[in-house]
């Protein structure tokens, strides 16, 4: 029997670095309990409510089981907290001052990411 996913991750599969990072997570124990959606390839309804394709391609998003949507650094913290190898990092990253700092770093990454993203 298959368990329902603990969350759904919406990532930009047209970004080479993003694709590599998601592939890394896929290889880890616990990843099979996460639904992974490549927003660059999926049909629009697969993104669910309150998330359109441009938003999904612009930042990493995670939909929690309760339907709430988080993005950016909070999305990474949500992913990490569900992967045993990253659980401690997920707890630390969820701490508000750390979350604020990692969000600032993530926004800087997003500016640089535009240079190597490969449209599909």
């Amino acid at each position: 029997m298959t368990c329902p996913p603990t969350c759904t991750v919406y990532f930009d599969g047209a970004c080479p670095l993003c694709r590599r990072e998601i592939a890394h997570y896929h290889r880890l124990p616990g990843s099979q309990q996460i639904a992974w959606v490549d927003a660059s390839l999926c049909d629009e309804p697969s993104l669910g409510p309150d998330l359109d394709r441009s938003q999904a391609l612009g930042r990493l998003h995670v939909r929690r089981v309760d339907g709430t949507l988080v993005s950016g650094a909070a999305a990474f913290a949500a992913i990490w907290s569900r992967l045993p190898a990253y659980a401690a990092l997920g707890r630390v990253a969820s701490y508000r001052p750390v979350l604020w700092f990692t969000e600032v770093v993530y926004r800087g990454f997003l500016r640089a990411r535009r240079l190597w993203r490969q449209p599909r």
Side-chain angles (χ1 to χ4, degrees):
M1 184 168 134
T2 305
C3 295
T6 59
C7 67
T8 302
V9 175
Y10 304 95
F11 67 96
D12 182 359
C15 167
L17 183 60
C18 306
R19 208 171 40 243
R20 276 193 296 273
E21 183 167 11
I22 295 299
H24 166 73
Y25 296 147
H26 267 272
R27 292 188 297 271
L28 297 175
S31 68
Q32 66 282 359
Q33 296 177 12
I34 299 172
W36 304 93
V37 178
D38 182 345
S40 70
L41 296 176
C42 72
D43 57 348
E44 193 86 22
S46 297
L47 299 174
D50 305 328
L51 183 62
D52 64 36
R53 189 172 314 281
S54 65
Q55 291 171 312
L57 294 176
R59 300 171 57 88
L60 181 70
H61 287 78
V62 169
R63 187 176 309 279
R64 297 179 177 142
V65 173
D66 68 2
T68 59
L69 198 61
V70 295
S71 69
F76 282 101
I79 294 167
W80 296 336
S81 69
R82 286 162 177 82
L83 299 171
Y86 284 89
L89 181 59
R91 283 190 297 278
V92 171
S94 296
Y95 182 59
R96 189 175 287 302
V98 175
L99 190 59
W100 177 86
F101 177 76
T102 54
E103 179 64 28
V104 169
V105 171
Y106 182 67
R107 288 179 185 192
F109 161 77
L110 290 177
R111 281 191 218 95
R113 183 180 81 109
R114 293 183 198 134
L115 301 173
W116 66 75
R117 187 179 183 281
Q118 303 163 347
R120 290 187 178 174

